[in-house]
């Protein structure tokens, strides 16, 4: 763990080598994997205010061995991904992320989407603050897991919200992407 903390950097350039499905599986687990259950609530790898877990994880698979290019939703309870849209979405991602080339070159792009009412139902307007804190927790887990696997990663906050939300089919009000994270082979 200490080694991963020391080595962790934002890496924006990736090789053309494909990620393995095993690496993808471990990255998904590190983002929101189930680590236990208490009082009927499934606990996850990242802390969440009130254990309310407002995040949905979507990935854009650009270059992953034995996986079709496309947009997938991570089903946390099953530790599985479900294809939402098949195809190459690098051009749309590039345009929506203000031409940040790492979204095109990454093996996988994580889209962290929050359903705000999951937290606002308990914490009111302060819930927005907790959502953004949790996005940071998830992102750091991804950074450290990528580093441990010998992969590069960077988080992106500068993007056109409406374009990214439309890409995965969320309304941008009740559910909205709040962070993008790219991961690829060095």
């Amino acid at each position: 763990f200490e080694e991963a903390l020391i080595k962790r950097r934002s890496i924006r350039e990736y090789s053309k080598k494909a990620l393995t499905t095993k690496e993808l599986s471990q990255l998904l687990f590190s983002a929101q994997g189930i680590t236990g259950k208490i009082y009927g609530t499934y606990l996850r790898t990242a802390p969440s205010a009130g254990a309310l877990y407002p995040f949905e994880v979507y990935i854009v698979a650009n270059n992953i061995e034995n996986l079709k290019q496309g947009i997938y939703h991570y089903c946390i309870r099953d530790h599985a991904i479900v294809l939402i849209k098949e195809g190459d979405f690098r051009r749309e991602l590039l345009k929506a992320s203000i031409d940040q080339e790492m979204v095109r070159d990454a093996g996988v792009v994580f889209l962290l989407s929050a359903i705000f009412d999951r937290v606002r139902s308990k914490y009111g307007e302060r819930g927005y603050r907790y959502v953004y804190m949790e996005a940071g927790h998830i992102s750091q887990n991804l950074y450290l897991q990528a580093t441990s696997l010998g992969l590069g990663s960077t988080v992106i906050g500068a993007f056109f919200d409406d374009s990214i939300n439309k890409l995965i089919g969320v309304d941008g009000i009740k559910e909205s992407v709040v962070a993008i994270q790219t991961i690829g082979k060095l």
Side-chain angles (χ1 to χ4, degrees):
F1 181 72
E2 185 177 351
E3 185 177 330
L5 287 171
I6 291 167
K7 289 183 176 180
R8 192 229 40 90
R9 295 289 177 267
S10 292
I11 307 292
R12 294 171 177 82
E13 293 182 14
Y14 311 113
S15 74
K16 296 194 183 299
K17 295 178 188 172
L19 293 174
T20 67
T21 52
K22 186 175 180 180
E23 289 167 331
L24 176 62
S25 177
Q26 191 59 41
L27 290 163
L28 287 163
F29 175 78
S30 72
Q32 284 288 274
I34 293 174
T35 59
K37 187 176 180 180
I38 188 166
Y39 307 117
T41 299
Y42 289 100
L43 304 175
R44 300 186 191 170
T45 55
S48 181
L52 297 171
Y53 302 107
F55 276 89
E56 296 293 323
V57 176
Y58 297 86
I59 62 164
V60 181
N62 290 335
N63 189 10
I64 300 170
E65 291 177 355
N66 304 313
L67 189 65
K68 293 178 184 178
Q69 280 187 307
I71 300 171
Y72 294 80
H73 177 254
Y74 179 45
C75 297
I76 294 159
R77 285 195 183 173
D78 299 326
H79 186 63
I81 54 174
V82 174
L83 181 64
I84 295 173
K85 295 181 191 176
E86 187 176 339
D88 183 349
F89 294 95
R90 290 179 288 188
R91 181 173 295 171
E92 291 93 327
L93 272 175
L94 189 62
K95 186 175 179 182
S97 67
I98 313 169
D99 295 324
Q100 296 182 70
E101 294 177 356
M102 57 274 214
V103 298
R104 179 194 62 212
D105 301 336
V108 66
V109 178
F110 279 74
L111 306 175
L112 305 180
S113 178
I115 299 175
F116 299 101
D117 283 348
R118 287 183 186 166
V119 179
R120 288 181 62 236
S121 64
K122 182 173 184 177
Y123 296 111
E125 296 306 302
R126 182 164 286 277
Y128 287 109
R129 178 180 299 185
Y130 300 149
V131 163
Y132 291 104
M133 289 170 63
E134 189 169 334
H137 301 316
I138 296 168
S139 176
Q140 184 71 344
N141 280 4
L142 284 168
Y143 263 119
L144 294 173
Q145 185 64 75
T147 301
S148 294
L149 294 170
L151 305 171
S153 181
T154 196
V155 70
I156 298 171
F159 55 87
F160 295 116
D161 296 33
D162 291 341
S163 298
I164 292 292
N165 289 328
K166 184 179 176 185
L167 187 64
I168 62 169
V170 299
D171 66 8
I173 298 168
K174 291 182 180 180
E175 181 177 357
S176 184
V177 174
V178 299
I180 297 173
Q181 191 149 353
T182 62
I183 300 174
K185 294 270 191 178
L186 300 177

